[in-house]
Amino acid sequence: MFTGLVEEKGRVVAIDDLGDSVRLVLRGPKVVSDAAHGDSIAVNGCCLTVVDQPDAESFAVDVMRESLDKTSIGDLAVGDEVNLERAVAAGQRLGGHVVQGHVDGTGRVLDRTPSEHWEVVRFSVPADLARYLVPKGSITVDGTSLTVVDVQDEGPDGPWFSVSLIPVTLADTVLGTRRPGDRVNLEVDVLAKYVERLLAAQKGADA
């Protein structure tokens, strides 16, 4: 489990194409400082397992075809920056929200509107995920826990949502450099999915 509070921006240092999977080597001195083989680290919001540590500042992960097909991890190139977060430790503050690191789908940056102290960014969202979003609710974008500002289910851009990014988020995560058209990983609030599932079961029981 994660919190969606990005610990550091890492960088892709190597990509080894294995045919039906890839092995990524990423530099992340902070997240790898206490890492061990088998530990989970969220890379742009995708929970991946440490399989090797080439040196004291980097770690390797294997990414299966399923993850490459359903997340933006397959878009990464050597030199790209990524958001990194270690799994939450028992007893620490849960400053973001409950994040599983299980990407539900991808969206794209639609536009950015800068302001003096923040920046509003709009993202497209698949129609089957839009129903889980509400204003003031939580959404994870590339592993970053964010608060939804607005949601629209229809329009020329299709379903979309917006978030307001403060300076620290712009500086300390890759969201500060995402441009219109860039693909991002999305994970909706798992609590919303549980509520939907329970209500559907209750409706079936009452029928």
Side-chain angles (χ1 to χ4, degrees):
M1 189 182 80
F2 305 91
T3 67
L5 299 184
V6 175
E7 294 188 88
E8 69 176 326
K9 286 191 290 187
R11 191 175 297 276
V12 179
V13 297
I15 300 176
D16 186 10
D17 189 346
L18 303 176
D20 61 347
S21 64
V22 299
R23 175 164 289 193
L24 299 178
V25 179
L26 305 123
R27 184 180 183 277
K30 184 173 183 178
V31 299
V32 82
S33 63
D34 61 352
H37 186 277
D39 282 355
S40 296
I41 294 178
V43 179
N44 280 353
C46 185
C47 178
L48 299 174
T49 302
V50 176
V51 296
D52 192 19
Q53 293 175 248
D55 56 59
E57 295 190 343
S58 63
F59 64 99
V61 294
D62 287 334
V63 188
M64 300 296 100
R65 175 54 54 189
E66 175 80 1
S67 297
L68 294 173
D69 289 343
K70 295 187 177 180
T71 76
S72 65
I73 296 295
D75 299 343
L76 293 174
V78 173
D80 284 352
E81 287 188 320
V82 292
N83 287 332
L84 299 175
E85 181 193 355
R86 289 169 289 189
V88 64
Q92 76 181 62
R93 292 183 178 87
L94 188 63
H97 71 284
V98 176
V99 176
Q100 295 180 297
H102 301 162
V103 175
D104 292 305
T106 61
R108 291 190 183 274
V109 179
L110 294 176
D111 52 53
R112 307 180 69 109
T113 305
S115 182
E116 183 179 0
H117 299 296
W118 66 86
E119 190 166 351
V120 175
V121 185
R122 287 198 311 138
F123 299 92
S124 67
V125 58
D128 63 330
L129 297 182
R131 68 178 184 268
Y132 299 114
L133 304 182
V134 295
K136 305 302 185 291
S138 296
I139 179 73
T140 307
V141 180
D142 273 348
T144 307
S145 174
L146 300 170
T147 300
V148 175
V149 172
D150 195 11
V151 183
Q152 294 293 327
D153 293 324
E154 299 179 353
D157 295 318
W160 60 265
F161 68 95
S162 63
V163 298
S164 186
L165 304 182
I166 61 175
V168 68
T169 305
L170 294 169
D172 293 349
T173 78
V174 299
L175 296 182
T177 57
R178 290 286 186 257
R179 294 292 174 257
D182 286 353
R183 194 157 67 123
V184 295
N185 290 325
L186 303 175
E187 181 185 334
V188 299
D189 191 346
V190 67
L191 298 181
K193 291 190 286 186
Y194 280 131
V195 169
E196 179 185 61
R197 177 77 169 170
L198 289 169
L199 289 175
Q202 183 63 51
K203 183 177 179 181
D206 293 341

